[in-house]
Amino acid sequence: MKTLTFFALALLVACTQAPAQTATPLSGLSAVPGAAQAGAARSGGAWAVGTLATTGTCEMDVAADYTALISHRHRAARLLSQGRMTVDQAVTVQAQADSARADLDAACPNAAATLDATKRARARATLKRIAAILE
Amino acid sequence: MTPEQARAIAKLLSDAADRADAAGEPEVSILPDLAALDDAARAELDAAIKAAADR
């Protein structure tokens, strides 16, 4: 919470002193997971920097991938219930989702771990294959 | 990241921050919440598969 509070205060100061200069850092906050959770705002000659995640953690790097995984499973269940997907397809989605989950868990086993980018890339490739089945 | 994903993550962060505040914890982690949500989604799909197979 300290980092969030600091970030909010930094933005508030920047907005009151130089509102036009804060547009770019703010727009980058939700555009890219991981790297873009950090934002910088310049006011006059001073720099203020805030971040949504503690430096060095990996969970924000995989959070969007987890939500995609969850969304894919929900969507597959809905399509199957509506008769718009076969049981075989749903079983395939479930198996591939399990594989993606294992890779995501390994990519970031805890908040203090360093991201394993290779495992995350493998999870993302699997998530793409699932998305193709759901289309 | 889609807007829906961003909102979901924001809610997870907010809920985790509330819990951390209540427990006096200095750090927040959303990994357990993400894992629990996926476990629930997996169970939902599993139930849908079983129901469809029985039809």
Side-chain angles (χ1 to χ4, degrees):
Chain A
M1 282 309 292
K2 286 179 183 174
T3 53
L4 284 172
T5 305
F6 177 66
F7 179 71
L9 287 172
L11 283 180
L12 185 61
V13 169
C15 286
T16 56
Q17 295 186 2
Q21 293 178 352
T22 62
T24 301
L26 272 176
S27 65
L29 281 176
S30 60
V32 182
Q37 271 87 47
R42 183 163 68 177
S43 56
W47 280 87
V49 179
T51 176
L52 290 177
T54 306
T55 304
T57 67
C58 59
E59 61 181 353
M60 292 306 293
D61 291 322
V62 295
D65 302 300
Y66 271 103
T67 60
L69 173 64
I70 294 161
S71 172
H72 288 342
R73 290 204 213 253
H74 279 306
R75 187 155 177 235
R78 193 171 64 246
L79 290 174
L80 183 60
S81 300
Q82 293 170 347
R84 296 164 58 195
M85 170 180 271
T86 67
V87 171
D88 285 346
Q89 285 176 316
V91 168
T92 300
V93 167
Q94 186 78 301
Q96 298 221 353
D98 288 345
S99 172
R101 168 69 184 273
D103 281 332
L104 287 176
D105 287 348
C108 181
N110 60 69
T114 301
L115 175 71
D116 185 330
T118 303
K119 288 193 170 63
R120 185 184 63 175
R122 203 162 60 194
R124 285 183 172 177
T126 306
L127 288 171
K128 274 189 180 178
R129 286 196 294 275
I130 296 172
I133 295 172
L134 296 175
E135 283 177 1
Chain B
M1 185 187 311
T2 66
E4 183 184 2
Q5 287 176 308
R7 275 190 288 273
I9 293 168
K11 185 174 187 317
L12 285 176
L13 279 169
S14 178
D15 291 348
D18 288 345
R19 285 199 307 271
D21 281 345
E25 297 285 342
E27 297 287 339
V28 168
S29 175
I30 59 171
L31 284 175
D33 298 301
L34 289 166
L37 284 172
D38 184 53
D39 289 343
R42 189 188 190 288
E44 180 190 353
L45 179 53
D46 207 34
I49 290 170
K50 285 186 173 70
D54 290 342
R55 282 199 292 267

